[in-house]
Amino acid sequence: IFEDGTREPLHGHNYHVTVELEGGLNEGDLVMDFIPFKPVVKELCDAMDHCTILPTQNDKLKIRQGDEYVEVEFDGKRFQFASEDVRMLPLPNTSTECLARFIGQELTKVIKERFPETTVSQLKIAVSESPGQAGWYSCSL
């Protein structure tokens, strides 16, 4: 949904997620061992794959969730989706910037919980919807 209150036609994307980590090296000369970390990133991405992503913090959308269907109303138009095909995220919009921030915040929690021994100091996430078009999020840990 654009700033002027209009929307794009319904469509999908094949997003690409890039994760960059900065920090001190551990005893194995790594900032983070990718073997246990990559499945965490994949798990987050898989949870959004092949879904209609709805931003629950957008005041222009009225979302009603039933057992079998999710109904969305926007500007007098109604859309209905099978519940199992929808992922509702605490976002104001589904822009690449908002998706990158969501993934970054989720990864920050996971790094602190599952990898407390790491010395990651900076996390950068890019979500690309096509080559050369990406939204970035970065934060300090």
Side-chain angles (χ1 to χ4, degrees), residues 1-2 5-11 13 74 79 93-95 129:
I1 296 174
F2 298 113
T6 61
R7 69 170 178 87
E8 290 184 283
L10 292 180
H11 65 284
H13 286 283
F74 173 80
F79 305 88
N93 218 331
T94 56
S95 65
E129 61 182 28

Side-chain angles (χ1 to χ4, degrees), residues 6-130:
T6 61
R7 69 170 178 87
E8 290 184 283
L10 292 180
H11 65 284
H13 286 283
N14 291 317
Y15 294 110
H16 179 84
V17 174
T18 302
V19 178
E20 292 183 12
L21 302 171
E22 293 180 25
L25 300 179
N26 64 20
E27 291 182 19
D29 297 316
L30 305 169
V31 173
M32 171 75 76
D33 185 349
F34 288 142
I35 292 172
F37 185 66
K38 282 173 63 174
V40 171
V41 176
K42 184 177 180 339
E43 181 182 318
L44 276 171
C45 293
D46 284 351
M48 294 180 277
D49 195 18
H50 293 96
C51 293
T52 298
I53 299 172
L54 295 175
T56 61
Q57 296 175 347
N58 190 307
D59 60 358
K60 293 179 176 81
L61 297 178
K62 292 180 185 169
I63 301 172
R64 289 179 285 286
Q65 184 173 11
D67 292 335
E68 294 184 35
Y69 297 100
V70 174
E71 185 175 272
V72 180
E73 186 176 333
F74 173 80
D75 196 28
K77 294 185 171 83
R78 290 182 186 206
F79 305 88
Q80 190 176 57
F81 306 97
S83 293
E84 67 263 15
D85 295 337
V86 173
R87 174 76 194 269
M88 292 192 282
L89 298 178
L91 307 172
N93 218 331
T94 56
S95 65
T96 56
E97 294 84 355
C98 289
L99 291 169
R101 182 178 61 219
F102 173 77
I103 292 169
Q105 290 170 342
E106 293 299 305
L107 283 178
T108 297
K109 291 179 208 170
V110 170
I111 289 169
K112 290 177 180 179
E113 291 170 4
R114 295 192 202 175
F115 306 99
E117 71 286 349
T118 64
T119 57
V120 174
S121 58
Q122 184 77 21
L123 173 68
K124 295 180 186 175
I125 305 294
V127 174
S128 306
E129 61 182 28
S130 62

